Amino acid sequence: MDVGTISLVLMLGLVVLLAIGMPLGFASAFMAVVVLLMKFEPALLMDPTLWGEGILTGRPGSGPLNILSQRIYGDVMTSYVLISIPLFIFMAALLERSGIAKDMYSSLNIWLNRTRGGIAIVTSIMAVIMAAMSGIIGGEVVLLGLIALPQMLRLGYNQNLAIGTICASGSLGTMIPPSIVLIIYGLITETSIKALFTAAFLPGFMLASFIIIYIIIRTRLHPEDAPLPELQPGEPVGAEKAKLFGGFMAVLVAGFSTALCLRALFFTVTGQNDVIEGVEPIFWGTPADVPWFAGLVAISLALIFFVFGRETTARGWALGKGLVPPIVVIGVVLGSIYGGITGITEAAGMGAISVLLIAIFRGEASFDLVWDSLMRTLKSTGTIIWVTIGATALAGAYTIAGGPTYVANLILGTDLPTMGIILIMMLILLFMGAFMDWVGIVLLIIPVFLPIVQRLPIEEIGFLGQLEPRYIAIWFGVVFCMNMQVSFLSPPFGPAAFYLKSVAPAHISLTDIFKGFLPFICIQLCALSVLLIWPPIVTILLK
């Protein structure tokens, strides 16, 4: 059977199976079998009595089925990086169920509550910090819905602004490392996950800054959308608050500088940072780094004792100490990756252990906390793994049938300009993102689209600057993640809406939630446009 017919049957079959409620993993696996039968034993579809006489069923352990099993088991399921996914999910579950996130929100709120739109800005900053800790989306939206939404509604914030801020900010885990979306993309496309993380930093924080800028502008133009809370007795304001914050930051810088200085001294004493030709030196771990860290410690101590004062510093620390555990977790996870200490999987394990130790230190750890977190990890990981198996089987079957080559020739044969082809891909990704889970899209669509992008004239990609050929897969991965960022808010099946609905007050309907998304979807599309117009933005930190 020709590939065009197989492609049409595949598309219609997936739509029908998903429409009747079949899980994506099972629907993909079923269509993988159908694709193989249509390609290699089409007669078996009409006459089941021919079982055992064709290339598929005659020798089940060989031929296309053997190639498919090797792709699923050998290329994906045995990948060491895949272990990081349940570890990051477990870390996010612990964060959600402990009081770490709540204390972080309270500390941020202290410093920004007298700013117009401050609660919404705090929510966005908290979402960025949580994204940098675990890279999980659903848990962030639920947690922000439990902590921030009641407070914003109580203070009289515009409902649409509150809803949109929570869901758009809570979805930043798609873009900001350590993003699970980037991990799966890197695994499927055999792209360096560390390079993907580095490339996604600027676009991720750019999107977060767009959201915060929008909040600031909107609340300045419409102050009634974000009333200021009443001033509480004894609450610091103005210069007093700035001095308290300065004292807190001085202690924070002194502590981290001391830790980094001791680390560099340890490497120096043990000889682990000796300069070896062809080997990259330890990041912030060389003898030349020691004076810098020692200088920072000295300056911080001088500020504490001679500028802010011990009493002010102690009070500032008490107000802001809720930010310390999240910063420690981020330092453990991202610091171990970029410091060359561990890989992605080990960093995920260290992050999970650090969160558990912090919960024990705070007296919040219990059997129920760990058990509930493990159960959520099991359910979420099981869903991702089954979708991965089914979608990998379907992508493999379609590849064996010649599907990617057919689609590539079909698209490239349209004689559209390079950016026209890329825009068509963006529209397809945005459309599919409104109806399908991101795991299925990255496993089914990316193996088809990425080879096409790699065949396009690189000098015609974007309008400002030019990508180097080695960065094409990385750039497309970041662009894909930005598309998935939009998909989390896109009606009718935007997951963020359903996550928030599960914890929102009864008077807030799904229609209200999707209505609040509209300006934030426009912000996400603006960020996507920046990546398409100026592709080299993803390579700034890679060079």
Side-chain angles (χ1 to χ4, degrees):
M1 191 175 292
D2 68 280
V3 184
T5 304
I6 292 174
S7 301
L8 182 61
V9 172
L10 170 59
M11 184 174 62
L12 294 176
L14 270 180
V15 170
V16 171
L17 291 176
L18 294 175
I20 63 176
M22 181 178 286
L24 178 60
F26 298 137
S28 301
F30 177 79
M31 290 309 301
V33 175
V34 173
V35 167
L36 288 177
L37 288 174
M38 286 191 297
K39 180 63 179 179
F40 298 103
E41 288 193 41
L44 191 61
L45 295 171
M46 303 299 175
D47 187 1
T49 60
L50 297 176
W51 179 273
E53 298 181 9
I55 188 174
L56 282 178
T57 57
R59 298 181 61 190
S62 62
L65 286 178
N66 182 52
I67 297 173
L68 198 60
S69 63
Q70 287 297 319
R71 179 183 175 91
I72 296 171
Y73 181 75
D75 296 343
V76 178
M77 298 312 299
T78 57
S79 174
Y80 184 59
V81 177
L82 201 62
I83 303 173
S84 65
I85 293 176
L87 291 172
F88 279 126
I89 295 174
F90 179 61
M91 179 167 55
L94 287 173
L95 285 169
E96 182 181 338
R97 284 158 176 76
S98 66
I100 297 173
K102 188 174 181 180
D103 286 354
M104 174 174 64
Y105 184 85
S106 299
S107 293
L108 286 170
N109 195 26
I110 287 170
W111 307 122
L112 293 172
N113 63 349
R114 302 308 303 170
T115 304
R116 181 71 64 181
I119 309 300
I121 296 172
V122 164
T123 302
S124 297
I125 295 173
M126 179 177 172
V128 171
I129 295 174
M130 291 184 64
M133 283 195 285
S134 66
I136 307 297
I137 297 108
E140 282 188 43
V141 175
V142 171
L143 189 60
L144 293 173
L146 289 170
I147 296 175
L149 184 60
Q151 185 167 356
M152 283 195 277
L153 294 179
R154 178 177 59 81
L155 291 173
Y157 271 57
N158 179 276
Q159 181 175 286
N160 290 339
L161 175 63
I163 289 169
T165 299
I166 288 172
C167 291
S169 302
S171 302
L172 287 170
T174 308
M175 286 296 302
I176 296 176
S179 163
I180 287 184
V181 181
L182 287 171
I183 293 175
I184 295 290
Y185 176 90
L187 180 64
I188 295 303
T189 62
E190 299 181 355
T191 305
S192 167
I193 296 174
K194 182 179 178 181
L196 286 168
F197 282 1
T198 305
F201 257 113
L202 278 183
F205 285 102
M206 175 187 70
L207 176 58
S209 66
F210 283 1
I211 293 172
I212 293 174
I213 291 169
Y214 168 76
I215 293 170
I216 293 172
I217 293 174
R218 175 170 174 172
T219 54
R220 292 298 185 279
L221 296 177
H222 302 281
E224 68 278 5
D225 286 351
L228 290 174
E230 294 182 5
L231 188 65
Q232 300 298 318
E235 180 182 340
V237 293
E240 182 188 3
K241 181 182 286 190
K243 194 173 181 180
L244 290 170
F245 183 72
F248 166 72
M249 290 302 299
V251 174
L252 202 62
V253 172
F256 279 100
S257 298
T258 301
L260 291 171
C261 186
L262 292 174
R263 172 177 173 266
L265 286 172
F266 172 78
F267 288 143
T268 302
V269 172
T270 57
Q272 296 182 46
N273 58 3
D274 292 340
V275 179
I276 301 174
E277 187 176 353
V279 178
E280 189 175 346
I282 297 176
F283 184 69
W284 286 355
T286 63
D289 294 321
V290 174
W292 291 100
F293 295 134
L296 284 174
V297 173
I299 292 171
S300 299
L301 291 176
L303 289 173
I304 291 171
F305 287 102
F306 302 112
V307 177
F308 301 120
R310 294 172 60 183
E311 183 178 343
T312 299
T313 301
R315 188 182 172 200
W317 174 259
L319 293 174
K321 65 182 180 180
L323 293 171
V324 177
I327 294 173
V328 169
V329 174
I330 293 172
V332 168
V333 176
L334 296 183
S336 60
I337 294 172
Y338 290 103
I341 302 171
T342 67
I344 306 295
T345 303
E346 294 84 356
M350 290 171 61
I353 291 174
S354 65
V355 173
L356 185 58
L357 289 175
I358 290 171
I360 293 172
F361 180 77
R362 291 163 54 92
E364 296 171 344
S366 64
F367 177 80
D368 289 339
L369 174 74
V370 177
W371 179 258
D372 289 345
S373 300
L374 287 172
M375 288 299 100
R376 177 180 170 184
T377 302
L378 180 65
K379 293 175 183 177
S380 300
T381 306
T383 301
I384 291 174
I385 293 300
W386 276 114
V387 172
T388 301
I389 292 173
T392 302
L394 180 54
Y398 192 57
T399 300
I400 295 171
T405 303
Y406 169 78
V407 175
N409 292 334
L410 192 66
I411 293 177
L412 295 174
T414 57
D415 292 330
L416 286 171
T418 297
M419 290 308 296
I421 292 173
I422 291 176
L423 287 175
I424 289 175
M425 291 182 181
M426 296 302 102
L427 291 174
I428 292 173
L429 289 173
L430 290 171
F431 176 77
M432 295 195 69
F435 297 94
M436 187 183 291
D437 190 74
W438 65 266
V439 183
I441 297 175
V442 72
L443 293 169
L444 294 175
I445 305 301
I446 294 303
V448 177
F449 278 4
L450 182 57
I452 298 174
V453 174
Q454 291 172 328
R455 289 172 57 182
L456 295 172
I458 192 168
E459 65 276 4
E460 296 180 9
I461 295 178
F463 299 98
L464 299 175
Q466 183 175 324
L467 278 173
E468 296 179 30
R470 57 181 173 152
Y471 294 137
I472 284 291
I474 295 173
W475 169 75
F476 195 67
V478 177
V479 169
F480 168 74
C481 283
M482 191 67 79
N483 271 279
M484 294 303 97
Q485 179 81 29
V486 180
S487 75
F488 275 96
L489 305 187
S490 299
F493 300 118
F498 295 93
Y499 290 137
L500 183 62
K501 178 59 181 171
S502 66
V503 295
H507 70 274
I508 297 179
S509 65
L510 275 175
T511 304
D512 295 330
I513 293 175
F514 280 119
K515 190 186 301 182
F517 287 173
L518 294 178
F520 293 91
I521 291 176
C522 293
I523 292 171
Q524 292 170 337
L525 292 175
C526 288
L528 177 61
S529 301
V530 172
L531 294 179
L532 296 176
I533 294 170
W534 184 31
I537 187 177
V538 304
T539 67
I540 292 175
L541 297 180
L542 290 172
K543 296 180 179 179

